């Protein structure tokens, strides 16, 4: 009866063929998106305790003529597994550094954080591409933050560390994204040239009432302070979360409460207007 139950369930699952066809279609669309310029670079502000914008995270948006707006969660995994992420990630890096150079011209002191996928990070020529992209744009390396996840360190920690040291020499900064959600040990924190950690949204969500989230967030803030790392809290949606984070010494805040992701030019123009007012 057990075996029969199982095969009944399987009967209603979408066929593997349909799934792989959908996947192939999405992959073809992604390729076309790159060639025909369907990607947009959005920026989400990161603010200091006074609400001033000190940085921004670059987030990819895809506007497809028929699919409409496709969220990154629906295609980054495929870009990663098909290898398209190398070119897509390079596009994001190019855009972000051009905006950084533009900020410099406008006198807007912004840092921009770019998400780097594990595969992109481990490409043999990645450091060289970062160097060339920075040189081409004229952007100041010190304003570029590379967000990587702990997963990058899992596969080959020694090689990942060597790569980070090589990139760090260019002047770029590293941030550990989704901190506390990966599987790696904390030992890497003292070995790697990190500037910042980002507290994952899942911890922020329970603040201030969930005592586990509060304890974990406090511990992360303390750890960061002791190790002289900057901290960004992400996914801050409410005033009470903001208040709690301020009280506990978190100096950089990102979340819908302070600003949603918006087209890069919109945010930068607004900052420029505000600075000349
Ligand atoms: P992430 O790096 O953790 O980015 C933060 C995500 O949280 C973004 O979703 C952002 O829009 C969302 N978010 C920000 N504030 C809030 C908030 O207050 N509440 C809630 N509920 N959400 C908030 P998004 O833009 O959909 O991106 C999802 C993920 O896709 C990112 O997670 C990142 O892993 C990936 N991604 C986005 N852009 C890129 C990219 O250029 N390259 C790579 N490799 N991955 C990217
Ligand atoms: Ca991120
Ligand atoms: Ca994150
Ligand atoms: Ca996340």
């Amino acid at each position: 009866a057990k075996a029969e139950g199982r095969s009944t369930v399987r009967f209603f699952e979408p066929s593997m063929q349909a799934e792989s066809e959908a996947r192939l279609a999405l992959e073809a669309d992604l390729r076309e998106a790159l060639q025909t310029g369907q990607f947009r670079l959005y920026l989400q502000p990161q603010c200091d305790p006074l609400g001033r914008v000190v940085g921004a995270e670059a987030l990819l948006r895809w506007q497809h003529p028929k699919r409409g707006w496709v969220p990154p969660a629906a295609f980054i995994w495929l870009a990663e597994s098909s290898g398209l992420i190398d070119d897509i990630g390079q596009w994001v890096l190019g855009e972000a550094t051009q905006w950084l150079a533009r900020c410099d011209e406008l006198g807007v002191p912004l840092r921009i954080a770019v998400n780097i996928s594990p595969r992109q990070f481990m490409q043999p020529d990645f450091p060289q591409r970062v160097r060339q992209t920075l040189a081409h744009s004229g952007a100041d390396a010190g304003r570029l933050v590379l967000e990587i996840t702990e997963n990058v360190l899992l596969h080959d920690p020694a090689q990942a560390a060597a790569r980070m040291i090589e990139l760090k020499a260019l002047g770029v900064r590293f941030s550990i994204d989704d901190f506390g959600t990966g599987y790696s040990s904390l030992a890497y924190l003292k070995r790697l040239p990190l500037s910042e950690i980002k507290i994952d949204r899942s911890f922020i969500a329970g603040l201030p009432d969930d005592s586990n989230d509060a304890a974990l967030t406090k511990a992360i803030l303390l750890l960061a302070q002791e190790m002289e790392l900057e901290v960004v809290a992400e996914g801050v949606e409410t005033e009470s979360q903001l208040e709690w984070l301020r009280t506990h010494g978190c100096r950089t805040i990102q979340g819908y409460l302070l600003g949603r992701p918006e087209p890069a030019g919109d945010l930068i123009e607004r900052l420029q207007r505000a600075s000349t007012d």
Side-chain angles (χ1 to χ4, degrees):
K2 221 179 194 174
E4 200 182 289
R6 208 182 269 163
S7 63
T8 316
V9 169
R10 194 160 285 164
F11 182 76
F12 289 105
E13 278 173 4
S15 77
M16 281 173 58
Q17 194 188 339
E19 240 171 70
S20 75
E21 275 167 12
R23 189 192 146 113
L24 281 175
L26 187 64
E27 195 180 317
D29 283 357
L30 267 179
R31 226 174 271 281
E32 193 178 289
L34 256 175
Q35 284 155 3
T36 62
Q38 293 168 9
F39 290 122
R40 301 283 174 270
L41 192 83
Y42 274 47
L43 290 177
Q44 182 177 33
Q46 299 176 328
C47 301
D48 73 7
L50 297 172
R52 291 178 302 210
V53 178
V54 292
E57 178 175 5
L59 293 162
L60 186 59
R61 294 292 178 265
W62 177 17
Q63 189 173 29
H64 184 265
K66 293 210 181 75
R67 298 176 189 265
W69 286 102
V70 190
F75 67 87
I76 292 286
W77 66 273
L78 181 58
E80 173 92 1
S81 67
S82 65
L84 279 169
I85 196 70
D86 298 338
D87 289 338
I88 296 175
Q90 182 57 39
W91 182 85
V92 172
L93 198 62
E95 283 285 303
T97 52
Q98 278 168 37
W99 282 114
L100 272 180
R102 182 92 184 105
C103 283
D104 215 23
E105 283 170 20
L106 297 171
V108 173
L110 204 68
R111 320 178 288 208
I112 296 183
V114 174
N115 291 285
I116 305 295
S117 87
R119 186 192 152 113
Q120 186 189 2
F121 183 76
M122 291 317 281
Q123 281 299 302
D125 63 348
F126 180 66
Q128 197 187 333
R129 288 182 103 173
V130 172
R131 188 165 48 76
Q132 285 168 348
T133 310
L134 279 165
H136 179 74
S137 66
D140 173 4
R143 296 202 175 276
L144 179 65
V145 181
L146 302 181
E147 288 193 11
I148 56 174
T149 58
E150 291 163 52
N151 299 340
V152 158
L153 309 169
L154 279 183
H155 185 61
D156 187 345
Q159 205 195 336
R163 173 137 300 200
M164 284 178 76
I165 290 162
E166 189 180 348
L167 282 156
K168 180 78 185 176
L170 300 175
V172 303
R173 299 146 68 87
F174 280 101
S175 177
I176 298 288
D177 201 4
D178 306 335
F179 182 78
T181 65
Y183 293 103
S184 61
S185 83
L186 289 178
Y188 72 85
L189 281 176
K190 60 178 186 213
R191 290 198 315 261
L192 300 177
L194 298 173
S195 301
E196 177 187 282
I197 55 187
K198 291 188 83 171
I199 306 181
D200 190 60
R201 188 165 84 225
S202 59
F203 299 124
I204 306 299
L207 299 179
D209 299 325
D210 184 295
S211 57
N212 290 325
D213 284 346
L216 282 163
T217 305
K218 266 191 233 174
I220 294 172
L221 286 166
L222 206 67
L223 180 74
Q225 199 186 344
E226 290 293 314
M227 303 199 72
E228 295 178 340
L229 295 169
E230 287 176 43
V231 183
V232 178
E234 70 177 6
V236 178
E237 295 182 345
T238 68
E239 285 290 347
S240 55
Q241 288 168 348
L242 180 64
E243 195 46 45
W244 190 97
L245 286 161
R246 270 192 194 134
T247 311
H248 290 85
C250 182
R251 304 222 321 268
T252 313
I253 308 286
Q254 180 182 345
Y256 292 168
L257 180 68
L258 296 171
R260 298 220 169 212
E262 60 184 309
D266 292 4
L267 176 69
I268 289 166
E269 253 176 47
R270 204 170 58 250
L271 293 175
Q272 197 233 346
R273 273 202 310 272
S275 72
T276 53
D277 275 350

